[in-house]
Amino acid sequence: MSSTESPQPSPQPRRTALDALHRSLGATMTDFAGWDMPLRYGSERDEHLAVRTRAGLFDLSHMGEITVTGPAAAALLDHALVGNIGSVGVGRARYTMICRADGGILDDLIVYRLAETEYMVVANAANAQVVLDALTERAAGFDAEVRDDRDAYALIAVQGPESPGILKSLTDADLDGLKYYAGLPGTVAGVPALIARTGYTGEDGFELFVAPADAEKLWRALTDAGEGVGLVPCGLSCRDTLRLEAGMPLYGHELTTALTPFDAGLGRVVKFDKEGDFVGREALAAAAERAAASPPRVLVGLVAQGRRVPRAGYAVVADGEVIGEVTSGAPSPTLGKPIAMAYVDAAHAAPGTPGVGVDIRGSHEPYEVVALPFYKRRK
C-alpha cells in the first residue's frame, strides 16, 4: 500500500439480537468470527462450574443456519457431505463434516432433518459462508434449494444438569421423549422454537432456535426459570474450556483443511457405504487406508504435572525431539490442572507414555498423555 492510500476501515462486527441485553449484564464483549459476542459476564471459572453442576445460558446466534429443501435435498446432502444424511429420521440430527475434493475438512456440522424434504445445516460461524458457497455449488443438477437462513434465527442454549427441569417449566413439549441429537418443534415461554437436545459442553442440555425478535423474551424467561437452581449467563470463554474437557474438536484448532477426518480420529463420520458418489470420496478412501496402516499423528489429551498452561501451536516434545503440536490448551476448572489436546506421533500416543512434555517458552514442562475426553458426565 502506498503512503498516500488510506487503510480500508474494517467492517463492524455483527451483533446478535441479544447484544443490548449482554451489555446490560456487564458482559465483556469480543469480536469472534465477525460477531460481537460475550466472552464472559464475571468469572470464567464460575461460569464453567455452573454448567458442570447446575446450568448455564449461552447466546449462540453467531452460528450459521442453512436450509436445504426439495425432493432431492437428501441426495444433495449425501453428495455434498461425508455422512449418510438420507438415513437420518425426521426429528433427528447428525454430526458430520463437509470436505474438499482432496479430503481436507471445510467444517464440521450438525444437520437436523426437520421434515421429509427439509434439512437445517448448522455451520460454525467462521465457516458459514464457505459452507453456504460449497453447498450452493454442489447443488447443481439436484432438485433442491440451498437457502441462507442466518438472519432467520437466534440460537440460545441452556446446558447443564438442571437444564431439563428449567426447560420443562416453560414448555409442554415432550422433553423426556427427546433423545440426544434430536429436535422437535414446540413453544417455550410462549415463543415458537425448534428444541434440540444438542450441545458443545459435555453436559445434557438444549439448543433453542427461535426468531431473533423472540430471543430477548426467551432469554429472560429462562433466566427467571433458572434463578432458583443457580443458572447463570455464560460466555464463549467457558464454552471453550467446557468443550476442551469433553474432548470436542474446534474448527481451526483440531480440524483444518490440512487434515482429513481420519487424521483427526473422526473417520467414523465418513460413510463409504452410502449410495452414490460424494465429494472427497476417493481422497478419503486413501486417507482411511493410510490411517489404518500407520497414523501419522494421533489426537491425544495432555494433563499438566505443573501449573503452566499450554497454548495452541506449542511443541510437544520427548527426548529432546518435537513429536507433536498442541491444538488447544487451557486451565481445567473441573480437573484443577492445565490440560491440552495435541496431535502427537503414534509412538507417543498411548496413555501413560513416559517422558512427554510441552515446550513452554523454552522450558520443557512434563505432561501426562491421557485418552480423550478428560471429562465424561455421569448419565
Side-chain angles (χ1 to χ4, degrees), residues 101-264:
D102 67 0
I105 302 166
L106 284 172
D107 201 12
D108 61 335
L109 312 164
I110 296 179
V111 180
Y112 299 87
R113 190 169 195 168
L114 304 181
E116 194 61 36
T117 61
E118 183 180 3
Y119 295 81
M120 181 168 67
V121 177
V122 180
N124 285 297
N127 296 332
Q129 190 63 48
V130 169
V131 174
L132 177 67
D133 291 346
L135 287 175
T136 302
E137 182 183 322
R138 296 173 189 187
F142 289 91
D143 187 5
E145 179 196 351
V146 176
R147 187 174 71 235
D148 181 0
D149 270 348
R150 283 175 285 180
D151 292 336
Y153 292 102
L155 178 55
I156 295 173
V158 54
Q159 299 278 303
E162 297 288 352
S163 58
I166 292 168
L167 202 55
K168 278 180 187 176
S169 71
L170 297 172
T171 183
D172 56 7
D174 179 17
L175 297 186
D176 290 334
L178 187 64
K179 296 176 180 173
Y180 186 52
Y181 265 70
L184 83 167
T187 303
V188 182
V191 169
L194 170 65
I195 305 167
R197 200 165 206 153
T198 44
Y200 193 52
T201 62
E203 298 298 336
D204 191 13
F206 303 87
E207 295 182 323
L208 308 170
F209 295 86
V210 300
D214 292 329
E216 187 170 334
K217 177 184 177 183
L218 179 57
W219 179 282
R220 292 188 186 280
L222 288 163
T223 299
D224 291 346
E227 192 175 9
V229 291
L231 174 139
V232 300
C234 293
L236 293 183
S237 187
C238 83
R239 179 171 154 91
D240 190 49
T241 51
L242 289 160
R243 70 91 195 167
L244 177 56
E245 288 184 349
M248 294 176 170
L250 175 63
Y251 195 89
H253 289 253
E254 289 71 42
L255 309 175
T256 71
T257 52
L259 298 170
T260 73
F262 295 95
D263 296 324

Side-chain angles (χ1 to χ4, degrees), residues 22-59:
H22 297 316
R23 292 168 194 277
S24 74
L25 292 171
T28 298
M29 306 296 286
T30 189
D31 185 342
F32 182 83
W35 289 81
D36 223 4
M37 298 297 295
L39 188 63
R40 70 183 76 81
Y41 298 83
S43 157
E44 296 165 10
R45 183 177 179 277
D46 289 350
E47 291 172 23
H48 178 111
L49 294 175
V51 176
R52 286 277 177 260
T53 59
R54 304 184 304 276
L57 193 58
F58 296 84
D59 179 10

